[in-house]
């Protein structure tokens, strides 16, 4: 099958050179986002930094995409019809931690990847886009909102990367329900007439104890965790209001929803025992389990390894988190690889990961990840057979996936990189170092 592009497919050196040229701006945007962290759906500064850069690079930018104020779609249309390939950007921070999940690197690196792809393949077919997806943290479900609004309609494939303390081309993720248990009691003087009150806080405490008691009888893949987000206002007042914010996770959406029903029953039981009322509501969209596309992941992995970073598929039963990229992966071929940007053992969602996300090393690795994404994007818009293979795998047909022999996974067993990435970048001429979430039901292909 012939190529659809009017120009030659860019070489790895072409892409690496473009990322080297973009590196100063990538670092500037990343550090600007890192230095001014914004919580879900309030990421106005990040959106301005990213969309200004994209507009300067010739992308047509639409802000407020899908009716979400801090979402955007930036597109570069090719010279002839072809696939619609999107690079996804996340840029929200964590309360109290800032960018302890490294979303500044995701945003700047993904944007650099798309711009590099266009610069290396200016006469590409189809559409190369960056979709800004706010509110991934705290159950915001920005990607779910955008999917419901039709933003992903017509997208043939979507790619992004995530910083971590180890590298993996594919990694499973848990489905997650985001919930709040509100307890309502009767206030009273806690010393003079406590018997006239009904403590909502006592109900919340009993509810948390019930969840602890459930753990022995849950699958080892399940996770229950949360906080008391409202426990009353004064020690001498029996609290009439209390709330627990918590997440329920398991390997599939169905298993997660089944566990949610047990949790709802526990809340009702705690309320009955304390003479209070309970209401369990969703505070965000259900995050679906992730389906990584092995065809796309293998291409990303081969590129990253060619730049000297060891990477391989993650272990199928390794502990995992959750993300709204899982919902998109139920709709179209997606990759969400991890690239090591911090010392092995650095926990995600931590002060240490936040600090690591501003280092030269993290930005060196982000350049490598961006090159890998740019490789996948340019191949998707120029090689129909590559896109067809990704689609076939997504549809459930047999496809060539990643397997043993494609390279050692960095950090998984303590291996060092094949080549120190700083040396690789220098060899390529690097000049310096410097809202309310609704549910989307995942389709089952």
């Amino acid at each position: 099958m012939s190529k659809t592009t009017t120009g030659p497919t860019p070489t790895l050196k072409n892409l690496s050179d473009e990322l080297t040229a973009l590196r100063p701006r990538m670092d500037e945007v990343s550090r600007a986002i890192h230095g001014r962290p914004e919580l879900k759906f309030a990421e106005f500064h990040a959106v301005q930094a990213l969309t200004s850069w994209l507009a300067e690079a010739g992308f047509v930018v639409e802000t407020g995409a899908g009716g979400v104020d801090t979402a955007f779609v930036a597109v570069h249309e090719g010279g002839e019809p072809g696939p619609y390939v999107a690079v996804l950007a996340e840029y929200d921070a964590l309360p109290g931690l800032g960018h302890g999940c490294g979303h500044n690197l995701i945003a700047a690196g993904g944007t650099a990847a798309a711009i590099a792809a266009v610069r290396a393949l200016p006469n590409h077919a189809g559409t190369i886009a960056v979709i800004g997806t706010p509110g991934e943290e705290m159950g915001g479900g920005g990607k779910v909102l955008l999917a419901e609004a039709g933003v992903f309609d017509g997208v043939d494939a979507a790619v992004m990367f995530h910083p971590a303390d180890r590298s993996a081309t594919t990694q499973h993720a848990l489905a997650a329900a985001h919930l709040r248990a509100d307890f309502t009691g009767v206030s009273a003087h806690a010393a003079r007439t406590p018997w006239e009150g009904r403590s909502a806080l006592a109900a919340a405490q009993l509810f948390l104890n019930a969840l602890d008691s459930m753990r022995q009888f849950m699958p080892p893949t399940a996770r229950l965790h949360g906080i008391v987000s409202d426990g009353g206002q004064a020690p001498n007042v029996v609290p009439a209001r209390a709330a627990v914010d918590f997440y329920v996770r398991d390997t599939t959406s169905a298993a997660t929803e089944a566990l949610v029903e047990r949790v709802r029953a526990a809340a009702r039981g705690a309320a009955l025992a304390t003479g209070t009322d309970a209401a369990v509501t969703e505070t965000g969209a259900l995050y679906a389990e992730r389906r990584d596309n092995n065809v796309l992941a293998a291409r990303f992995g081969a590129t990253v390894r060619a730049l000297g970073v060891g990477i391989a598929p993650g272990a199928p039963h390794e502990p995992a988190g959750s993300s709204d990229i899982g919902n998109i992966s139920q709709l179209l071929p997606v990759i969400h690889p991890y690239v090591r940007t911090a010392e092995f053992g650095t926990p995600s969602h931590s002060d240490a990961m936040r600090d690591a996300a501003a280092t030269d090393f993290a930005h060196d690795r982000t350049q490598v990840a961006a090159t890998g994404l740019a490789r996948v994007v340019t191949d998707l818009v120029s090689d129909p057979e590559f896109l067809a293979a990704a689609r076939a795998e997504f549809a459930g047909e047999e496809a060539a996936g990643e397997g043993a022999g494609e390279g050692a996974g960095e950090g998984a067993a303590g291996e060092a990189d094949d080549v120190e990435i700083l040396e690789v970048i220098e060899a390529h001429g690097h000049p310096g170092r410097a809202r309310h979430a609704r549910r989307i039901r995942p389709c089952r292909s």
Side-chain angles (χ1 to χ4, degrees):
M1 191 175 294
S2 63
K3 306 288 186 185
T4 60
T5 181
T6 57
T9 302
T11 66
L12 178 56
K13 185 178 187 307
N14 295 150
L15 294 172
S16 295
D17 288 347
E18 294 295 350
L19 264 303
T20 296
L22 291 165
R23 174 65 183 272
R25 184 65 175 273
M26 185 190 81
D27 286 11
E28 176 187 346
V29 170
S30 172
R31 290 194 163 101
I33 294 172
H34 187 277
R36 188 170 167 180
E38 299 163 304
L39 301 185
K40 63 178 181 180
F41 304 124
E43 312 98 322
F44 295 99
H45 172 255
V47 169
Q48 176 61 33
L50 296 166
T51 57
S52 296
W53 186 15
L54 285 159
E56 291 170 19
F59 284 70
V60 177
V61 178
E62 173 200 357
T63 55
V68 181
D69 288 343
T70 54
F72 68 86
V73 177
V75 299
H76 190 280
E77 299 289 354
E80 59 184 82
Y84 186 142
V85 180
V87 181
L88 306 186
E90 296 174 359
Y91 33 84
D92 58 325
L94 289 158
L97 275 180
H99 281 288
C101 203
H103 288 192
N104 58 301
L105 302 173
I106 297 174
T111 299
I115 295 173
V118 167
R119 287 171 57 157
L121 195 62
N123 298 318
H124 65 86
T127 302
I128 294 175
V130 178
I131 300 180
T133 61
E136 187 273 335
E137 299 289 2
M138 301 164 60
K143 296 180 189 64
V144 182
L145 294 175
L146 298 184
E148 289 183 331
V151 171
F152 286 94
D153 293 354
V155 177
D156 291 289
V159 302
M160 64 176 292
F161 91 100
H162 203 290
D165 71 323
R166 64 201 72 192
S167 298
T169 52
T170 59
Q171 183 63 64
H172 76 102
L174 302 177
H178 309 89
L179 305 168
R180 173 175 294 156
D182 285 293
F183 296 95
T184 304
V186 178
S187 61
H189 196 294
R192 185 176 181 186
T193 54
W195 54 87
E196 293 179 356
R198 296 293 181 268
S199 174
L201 178 59
Q205 291 172 311
L206 189 58
F207 172 62
L208 289 171
N209 286 335
L211 298 188
D212 283 340
S213 298
M214 288 173 58
R215 295 182 198 280
Q216 181 182 352
F217 308 101
M218 299 186 325
T221 53
R223 297 288 187 270
L224 284 176
H225 49 93
I227 61 169
V228 177
S229 51
D230 183 0
Q233 303 300 314
N236 61 343
V237 177
V238 174
R241 297 280 190 276
V244 176
D245 285 306
F246 62 102
Y247 297 167
V248 177
R249 311 190 200 224
D250 208 339
T251 51
T252 67
S253 298
T256 299
E257 290 179 321
L259 186 54
V260 166
E261 292 310 307
R262 294 175 62 188
V263 168
R264 291 183 185 276
R268 292 193 297 269
L272 182 63
T274 55
T276 61
D277 294 320
V280 178
T281 57
E282 294 180 335
T283 56
L286 176 72
Y287 284 8
E289 61 272 26
R290 185 161 65 236
R291 294 177 59 193
D292 283 305
N293 189 276
N294 288 309
V295 171
L296 304 183
R299 188 66 53 90
F300 177 88
T303 305
V304 168
R305 284 190 293 274
L307 293 174
V309 176
I311 191 170
H317 302 297
E318 186 173 339
S322 310
S323 172
D324 55 3
I325 189 66
N327 300 66
I328 306 306
S329 77
Q330 305 294 328
L331 305 175
L332 52 101
V334 160
I335 57 169
H336 185 278
Y338 294 83
V339 172
R340 184 168 79 84
T341 57
E343 290 297 325
F344 180 70
T346 304
S348 186
H349 289 200
S350 69
D351 292 338
M353 185 61 76
R354 177 200 61 215
D355 295 344
T359 63
D360 289 341
F361 177 78
H363 289 90
D364 291 338
R365 288 302 179 83
T366 297
Q367 181 177 343
V368 173
T371 307
L373 295 181
R375 172 83 284 162
V376 175
V377 169
T378 54
D379 287 356
L380 281 168
V381 298
S382 62
D383 185 352
E385 293 181 351
F386 181 51
L387 176 59
R391 284 173 166 167
E393 184 197 329
F394 180 78
E397 301 173 22
E398 185 175 354
E402 291 200 285
E406 283 206 277
E410 178 190 31
E415 294 93 348
D417 292 345
D418 297 326
V419 181
E420 279 298 321
I421 195 58
L422 292 180
E423 297 175 2
V424 173
I425 291 174
E426 288 168 2
H428 283 277
H430 174 47
R433 302 175 67 180
R435 131 194 340 210
H436 172 66
R438 296 160 287 172
R439 171 174 296 186
I440 180 171
R441 291 284 181 180
C443 63
R444 312 251 185 234
S445 301

